[in-house]
Amino acid sequence: MKPFLRAVLRPWRYPERGSSAAFERQVHMRGFLTRGLLLGTLLLLPGCAAWFQGQGGPRAKVELEARGIQRLAVVEFADLTQQRVSWDLSRIFGQTLHERLGARVLEKPLPRPGAKLAGSWLKAEARSKGVDAFVTGTVTGYQAQPAEGRVCVTMTVRLLEADSGNILWSKHTLAFVPIESPVAPEDAFRQAIVNAAKEFANDFLPPSS
């Protein structure tokens, strides 16, 4: 066994009586080494490595077919901005996904029935529209930033299983677009939404696409 591992794994021994500072330094070092070894071990396990990677929002190339998903529908996003932008945003988002992923995505979004999406509603809409999953989310930011000369759109996007409503994939997106004459702010906002939708769609495309 390598000296480093022996130093971490050998039975704990309290230090000899002496200064409290020396004792605290030894306790701190032992805790640091133990945490490092644990993290390294977890990252060697495929499932744990994927979990750590997922926390950082990877471009993970989710295989929709492997999950039995053939068709998707966009449900109008919830809006926390109080600017009534959810429908137009959802429409642009859906059109972009349709252009990026093809017939797999219904081009027109479904109106949101309320703040929460009931499982019974999702099942009924899935049967009616012939889809296996839904894309929806929450708009958390939609603002012009004149000092920076740009607009900013932030949202959390989720892929929901049609039968259960379980979240299969979630991603937080942040899109900035500069406001440049003669581009109007409305066009900049639209481009920011398109960029966010493309980023989300790229998670379901092979690297070469």
Side-chain angles (χ1 to χ4, degrees):
M1 182 180 293
K2 294 183 178 181
F4 172 78
L5 294 180
R6 284 202 299 268
V8 175
L9 297 178
R10 68 189 177 195
W12 168 263
R13 294 178 182 176
Y14 284 94
E16 300 294 333
R17 292 181 179 272
S19 69
S20 59
F23 176 84
E24 290 175 1
R25 283 197 299 271
Q26 291 189 39
V27 171
H28 176 75
M29 181 58 69
R30 182 60 60 93
F32 174 80
L33 293 175
T34 303
R35 288 193 297 272
L37 178 63
L38 176 60
L39 178 59
T41 302
L42 287 174
L43 290 176
L44 291 176
L45 301 175
C48 292
W51 182 86
F52 278 103
Q53 186 184 37
Q55 298 306 100
R59 300 170 68 83
K61 312 307 176 193
V62 179
E63 296 183 4
L64 297 179
E65 291 85 353
R67 296 181 180 272
I69 298 174
Q70 299 298 324
R71 300 192 75 199
L72 303 166
V74 175
V75 177
E76 181 182 3
F77 284 47
D79 189 353
L80 300 184
T81 69
Q82 299 181 343
Q83 298 186 56
R84 299 182 180 181
V85 298
S86 62
W87 178 252
D88 285 339
L89 182 147
S90 304
R91 179 177 52 80
I92 297 170
F93 199 95
Q95 289 173 348
T96 304
L97 287 187
H98 179 75
E99 293 170 1
R100 197 84 173 101
L101 300 176
R104 182 190 300 279
V105 181
L106 301 185
E107 186 173 1
K108 295 183 178 180
L110 307 178
R112 194 178 188 88
K116 295 184 178 181
L117 301 177
S120 57
W121 183 86
L122 291 173
K123 288 182 180 180
E125 290 298 316
R127 288 194 297 269
S128 173
K129 302 299 188 297
V131 298
D132 308 299
F134 298 94
V135 175
T136 188
T138 305
V139 188
T140 55
Y142 194 94
Q143 58 183 333
Q145 298 176 334
E148 290 81 10
R150 65 188 185 186
V151 300
C152 175
V153 176
T154 59
M155 66 185 84
T156 299
V157 190
R158 302 180 185 89
L159 177 68
L160 306 180
E161 188 176 38
D163 290 338
S164 64
N166 290 336
I167 299 175
L168 300 175
W169 183 249
S170 179
K171 184 166 191 171
H172 180 71
T173 65
L174 172 65
F176 294 105
V177 171
I179 303 175
E180 299 176 349
S181 181
V183 176
E186 293 78 9
D187 294 331
F189 275 119
R190 177 185 177 87
Q191 187 59 51
I193 298 168
V194 168
N195 292 348
K198 286 182 177 179
E199 180 183 342
F200 183 74
N202 284 345
D203 290 332
F204 308 107
L205 292 170
S208 60
S209 296

